[in-house]
Structure formats: structure tokens, C-alpha cells
Amino acid sequence: MDVTIGTSTVAGTAQAPPSKSYTHRAILAAGYADGATVRDPLVSADTKATMRAVTAYGGSVDRSDESAIEVAGFDGHPETPDTVIDCANSGTTMRLVTATATLQDHLTVLTGDDSLRSRPQGPLLEAIGQLDGRAESTRDNGQAPLVVGGGIDGGAVSIPGDVSSQYITALLMAGAVTEEGIDVELTTELKSSPYVDITLEVLEDYGVTAERTDDGFTVGGGQSYEPTAGEYHVPGDFSSISYLLAMGALAAPEGMTVTAAVPSAQGDTAIVDILDRMGATLSWDREAGEIAVEQSDLTGIEVGVEDTPDLLPTIATLGAAADGVTRITDAEHVRYKETDRVSAMAEELTEMGAKVEEEQDELVVYGEDSELHGATVDGRADHRIIMSLAVAGLVADGETTVTGAEHVDVSFPNFFDLLESLGASVVR
């Protein structure tokens, strides 16, 4: 599906979708438990992949209630799946449920789409090997398809922290139900650290104790997943909120309000501070979970995304519409997402008239030398690229057509409906 965005202003109230990161973890945690109700979940292409994995391991998922998911879990003892687990385009699913596969004695095969089969899994496979599990890439290249099993008891692993924090999340979640637990030693600096904070928060809410150590993280074995009153409530998603705040700061002269913006461990809450530093007029009522924002004259800044990789496309769009220079640093790991998001934003914003320079670990946007105009841009089958380019289309001269726009279903299924309801010109 292609979507065309015309130069527009927006106004009104926008409710952020539930957090994808929290939903993934809450569903899998409910699978590790005897069961649980996950309230206010994000039901999207990615989280459906995690639901399928929980079912494959012997649990079940009931989505008959639109506002909640009822999960019957496998109580820490996953079955060997009857068939291959297809994780589609969800890297979070693949990494988290790869560790689940180590808890059963036989073998699980995991795969995904072309994009997912190109993403690195090697450090997690090596860590599983250190735990005396079996974990192999069928093509022997550290990428899916994967074959995993072995019935691990726990132990100690050394793993790099600068490739994906999801490896650590996977080991901590599975380690809680092993006999010995798992100690994780990081051999490099941890990137995307807030995502592990999210994991620790969800584990605590499910009654599981895991914590940071001087060298990394540890989780004790023999624990049970038991959320209070059998329920878990998913907060709003700040990665998605970033697009709403960006469209408000760029194209809402009368202001707009973003709801479901409740404080949490999400690193992407940094978007509020980033916009404030750029000069946006906004205010956050943390208790009410509401952020008011209005169109503002923005100025470029330097911002590191080592802990907030999902914000790079949003920041790049803001920089293209701001005065001055926006320098996005510590960005190399952003190349290993659904697509190489550094190159994708550099190339597509250039197509729209922005002046952009790309380095291996940096993206520099020269807002003062940029004049955004409508163009046909490639969404790269990446939800975050698509939404960021759509926001850029609001302030580009003329019409911007984003290809492959259906992929917003990964994290924000009603994005274009919401954009249209706020007054934007949207043609599908």
C-alpha cells in the first residue's frame, strides 16, 4: 500500500498505542507463568509473532476481549513445537523465544522473513553454547534459520552488549526458570540499556527477581512467574509517541495533546527532552499521562542514540525541518534493525530535499540547507522509516508518497487513520 501525505496542519488529541516492547515481554512472561491476563496490549504484526511462539511452546492465547489478552502459560516448561516457529519480521520475538527453546530437551527451529534472516543472532547462539545448550545457524552465518534446544540448567555466560540488548533480555527471562539461574557478564559496553530496564521492570511485576551486577546482570533460578492478581497492564509506547510529538512540533500551530504518555522505564521518553532542547513548546503532565505540544521554531542539536536507537528516524526528520545542524551520534547499531535505518533516512530525506551526511556511526542533517519537497520515498518495509517520512511529508512542499505503508502494522496499526483524524491530508 502506498500513502500520499499532503502539506498539512494537525490539531486535536492523539492517544498513543500501547508499548510494543512491554507487550512482547508481558506476553512471553505470561507464557512462562501458569497464565496471566495482559491488559491494554498492542496487537500488531510483531506481537502476534510472540503470541504464536507462546502457543507453539504449549501455551494458548485468547484475544476475544479487545482490551486484554488471556494467556494460558506453559509454566516454565515449554513443549517442543510441532513445527517451525515463524517470527515473521519481529527481531524481538526471535531473540526472546530462542532462549525459551533452550529449556526443552529436543530441538526447535526458528525462522522469519528475508529481513529477519539477515539480522545478527550469533552472540546469543554462542551464549547458549556456553550454557551447554545447542544453538546453531543452519547457514552457519549467525543468522536465522536457527536450530535450538538442549535443556539447559543455567550457568554463566559472557556476551557483548553493543549488538543487541535483546540477547540479555532473552537470557534473563529464560534464566529465571532454570535450576541454577544465569549470570550474564558483558564483554563490551551495553547499548540500548533502557530496554533491559524495561525487562527488569516487567520481571518484577511478574514476581521475578533479576538485577544488575558490577559486570552485567544476574537472575536466580527456580523462580515462578506470578503477576499480582494474575494481571499485567501495558503502558503507552514512547517510540510511537515520538512521531506524534514530532508532528505536533512541526505542524500543529493551534497545538495538540498526546495521551497515554505515562512515565516508565522506556528510554524513548528521551524524545521529550530532545524536543525541549530543540526549542519545542511542550509540557508533560506526568501524573495525567498527557503531553501538550505545538508548532515551534526548532534548532538543531547533537544527540546520541546509543540507548534510544528507535528515535533516530524521528530525530532525523525533526533535524531536516529545523534551523542549524542536527548531529545524531552513536548510531552504528541502528544499522541492524528491520533495515539499515541510518542509510534509509539519509537516502530518503535527501530525496525530499534535505542535505544529509552519513558516517558509519553518525547521521548529520543540515536543516538550514534543507528545503523539503514532496517526493516518492521508499518506506523500506520498516514501520519507523514509514512513519518518520510521513511526518516529514506534513511540512514538505507538495505531496509525499510513502511506499509499503502497510508495514506500520508492526507497531502502530492505526497510524494513518489517526493522522487523518488530526486533520492531515492522507490518500491511500
Side-chain angles (χ1 to χ4, degrees):
M1 176 180 73
D2 295 347
V3 174
T4 299
I5 311 296
T7 309
S8 309
T9 59
V10 294
T13 298
Q15 180 171 327
S19 167
K20 184 162 73 82
S21 296
Y22 278 86
T23 300
H24 277 301
R25 289 159 175 77
I27 292 169
L28 184 56
Y32 280 124
D34 184 50
T37 301
V38 180
R39 299 205 175 276
D40 305 316
L42 175 71
V43 177
S44 70
D46 272 21
T47 60
K48 287 176 183 175
T50 298
M51 295 179 209
R52 291 195 299 271
V54 168
T55 301
Y57 285 127
S60 65
V61 177
D62 181 352
R63 291 172 42 208
S64 57
D65 184 341
E66 291 186 0
S67 64
I69 296 173
E70 297 286 347
V71 180
F74 45 82
D75 200 18
H77 301 284
E79 299 176 1
T80 300
D82 293 332
T83 188
V84 172
I85 294 180
D86 182 3
C87 300
N89 188 239
S90 178
T92 304
T93 301
M94 172 159 282
R95 287 161 178 164
L96 269 57
V97 308
T98 290
T100 311
T102 66
L103 301 172
Q104 42 88 54
D105 292 328
H106 304 294
L107 297 175
T108 296
V109 180
L110 304 102
T111 192
D113 66 10
D114 289 347
S115 172
L116 187 55
R117 293 197 306 274
S118 70
R119 297 173 67 178
Q121 316 295 343
L124 180 57
L125 303 182
E126 293 171 8
I128 292 168
Q130 294 173 45
L131 297 170
D132 295 326
R134 177 176 172 182
E136 301 173 12
S137 162
T138 62
R139 294 176 292 166
D140 199 26
N141 64 354
Q143 299 170 353
L146 309 178
V147 178
V148 184
I152 66 169
D153 295 322
V157 302
S158 297
I159 191 169
D162 58 353
V163 181
S164 174
S165 65
Q166 292 167 353
Y167 305 148
I168 290 89
T169 287
L171 293 166
L172 294 177
M173 293 191 74
V177 296
T178 62
E179 183 177 337
E180 301 172 14
I182 294 179
D183 295 320
V184 179
E185 178 189 7
L186 298 177
T187 59
T188 64
E189 181 184 359
L190 178 61
K191 300 283 188 178
S192 304
S193 175
Y195 288 98
V196 183
D197 292 335
I198 289 173
T199 302
L200 297 178
E201 184 179 302
V202 172
L203 289 175
E204 181 179 5
D205 288 340
Y206 273 83
V208 171
T209 300
E211 57 190 11
R212 291 178 180 268
T213 65
D214 291 341
D215 299 322
F217 297 87
T218 186
V219 60
Q223 300 191 67
S224 297
Y225 282 77
E226 297 177 358
T228 303
E231 295 186 347
Y232 180 83
H233 291 259
V234 177
D237 188 273
F238 266 87
S239 301
S240 297
I241 285 171
S242 76
Y243 314 115
L244 302 177
L245 295 180
M247 67 177 71
L250 296 179
E254 297 181 5
M256 62 178 280
T257 301
V258 179
T259 63
V262 178
S264 68
Q266 296 174 74
D268 286 351
T269 58
I271 189 62
V272 178
D273 177 64
I274 290 167
L275 277 166
D276 181 66
R277 289 173 56 205
M278 295 183 81
T281 300
L282 80 169
S283 59
W284 185 7
D285 184 335
R286 288 167 170 78
E287 186 172 344
E290 295 183 353
I291 303 175
V293 60
E294 63 184 65
Q295 183 177 317
S296 311
D297 293 328
L298 303 181
T299 302
I301 61 171
E302 179 171 322
V303 56
V305 293
E306 62 272 23
D307 289 332
T308 55
D310 288 345
L311 291 184
L312 181 139
T314 312
I315 300 167
T317 292
L318 290 167
D323 291 329
V325 179
T326 296
R327 184 180 298 273
I328 307 171
T329 65
D330 301 303
E332 183 171 5
H333 60 312
V334 189
R335 296 185 181 276
Y336 307 112
K337 297 290 185 177
E338 283 85 337
T339 189
D340 179 342
R341 288 177 176 160
V342 180
S343 287
M345 290 306 296
E347 293 168 11
E348 302 309 324
L349 285 176
T350 297
E351 187 71 21
M352 294 181 69
K355 182 181 179 183
V356 182
E357 288 184 358
E358 175 188 352
E359 303 292 343
Q360 182 61 25
D361 64 347
E362 289 189 0
L363 187 64
V364 185
V365 185
Y366 296 90
E368 76 271 22
D369 297 325
S370 300
E371 291 188 16
L372 294 180
H373 56 73
T376 296
V377 289
D378 186 352
R380 312 293 180 104
D382 186 322
H383 55 130
R384 305 208 184 282
I385 301 298
I386 293 162
M387 289 185 279
S388 297
L389 294 174
V391 172
L394 294 175
V395 292
D397 183 19
E399 294 185 335
T400 299
T401 298
V402 185
T403 65
E406 70 274 10
H407 292 283
V408 296
D409 185 53
V410 166
S411 64
F412 203 153
N414 69 329
F415 175 78
F416 288 107
D417 292 333
L418 179 58
L419 186 56
E420 191 170 18
S421 75
L422 293 169
S425 171
V426 179
V427 178
R428 285 170 272 197

